[in-house]
Each structure stands twice: as C-alpha cells, then as structure tokens.
Amino acid sequence: SKELRPLAAHFTPRYGVKTGCNRAFLLSKNANSPLALPALRGKNIRRFSYHCDQQIVFTHHTQTGEVLNTLPSAVEARLRNFDAQLHKRSDLRPNMPAWTLFRVRRESVGWRVAWRDVAQRLEAVVRPPLDAGGPVNLNSTYGVAVQNQDDARVLCAWLNADAVSAYLQPSAQRA
C-alpha cells in the first residue's frame, strides 16, 4: 500500500504580498496608473471565485517577480509622496529600492491557488499569472504555486471539496 504524503510535501503555502505601506501602493479599483494590477484580498475570495475592489502598484516584473530597477515617472512621483514611510518599513533592507514590495518571489507571479488566511472554512480559487491579467495576492491570503491551469483547477477543486473541508475543520487554527 502507498503511504499518503501531506500536502506540504508537494506544495509550499505562502502568504501573499506585503506592502508595509498600503497608502502608497493600494489604489481604488478604477484608478488609472502605470503598473497597477488588481489586488486580491482574502475577504474577496469565495469557493471558485474572487473579485478585486482595489489595485496595487506592482513595482516588480510580472514574469520574474524581480523588483524593477526604474519606475515610470508617474509612479515615481506618487511614491515620492510616501518616501519617509517607505524607508521606515521594517522589511526594507539597505540594498533594496524604496519601492520594493515584500514576499514577491518567482512563484508568486505564475499560476496559483489561493485562499483566505483567516476563515471559518477553506475556500480556494484559481489565480491566473500576473502577466495574463491575474491579481496580486495580498498578505491576507495564502497561496501555492502550481505549474499550469489544469493543476490549479484540480487542486482548487480538491481544496473546495466538502470532504476535505470536513477533514481540515477540526485542525484549523482559530482566529
């Protein structure tokens, strides 16, 4: 008989992106700004669906996750208004540009399955890659990177299954 391995043996759940200064990076849903991408908050995730009511100024490359070396002038001007707050963020290191977002990795920008960090029930959603119009997971979400859309759909369906939810419910951390 095959021994079942925990999900963590296949996937590494990670928190979403942390700004350290939401006022600088988060915009209204209808704002017209260079580098703006939809922002996915945990409260906006339901089983198999999500909506985004804000955008984030995403100062990283949408295919690699690497921080951009330069910014469009309009973005640079906006962030200059928050220069003192940006430099005081606890995660910022001396070798990082002030516009760095935190917890952005290569696997953050591709296909993901995401869910809320705090919830009564696990509700997962497929999140497309950023360069295909997918939203940026914010730090009120967890997510795992997957190879492609098919893998994302299978994992999402499995996580949303009633049997899986019933199994996970007793071991869930209480908020």
Side-chain angles (χ1 to χ4, degrees), residues 35-134:
L35 305 181
L37 294 175
L40 181 59
R41 290 183 174 273
K43 69 180 182 178
N44 297 333
I45 295 176
R46 298 294 177 263
R47 287 173 74 178
F48 301 107
S49 69
Y50 64 86
H51 72 277
C52 298
D53 53 16
Q54 286 185 297
Q55 295 183 88
I56 185 171
V57 177
F58 194 69
T59 56
H60 293 245
H61 195 282
T62 58
Q63 291 182 335
T64 66
E66 293 177 15
V67 68
L68 297 173
N69 292 324
T70 59
L71 300 176
S73 58
V75 172
E76 193 173 327
R78 172 188 171 75
L79 294 179
R80 203 172 305 120
N81 294 322
F82 300 95
D83 196 55
Q85 296 98 314
L86 293 175
H87 280 93
K88 289 180 185 175
R89 296 178 298 161
S90 61
D91 292 327
L92 189 69
R93 301 292 173 252
N95 62 334
M96 297 175 166
W99 56 80
T100 300
L101 297 168
F102 309 112
R103 298 190 195 130
V104 179
R105 298 174 178 84
R106 177 178 283 281
E107 65 266 18
S108 304
V109 299
W111 284 102
R112 292 181 74 70
V113 175
W115 58 91
R116 287 185 274 178
D117 65 342
V118 177
Q120 293 293 320
R121 171 191 170 99
L122 179 63
E123 296 178 313
V125 65
V126 172
R127 202 242 30 218
L130 301 186
D131 65 353

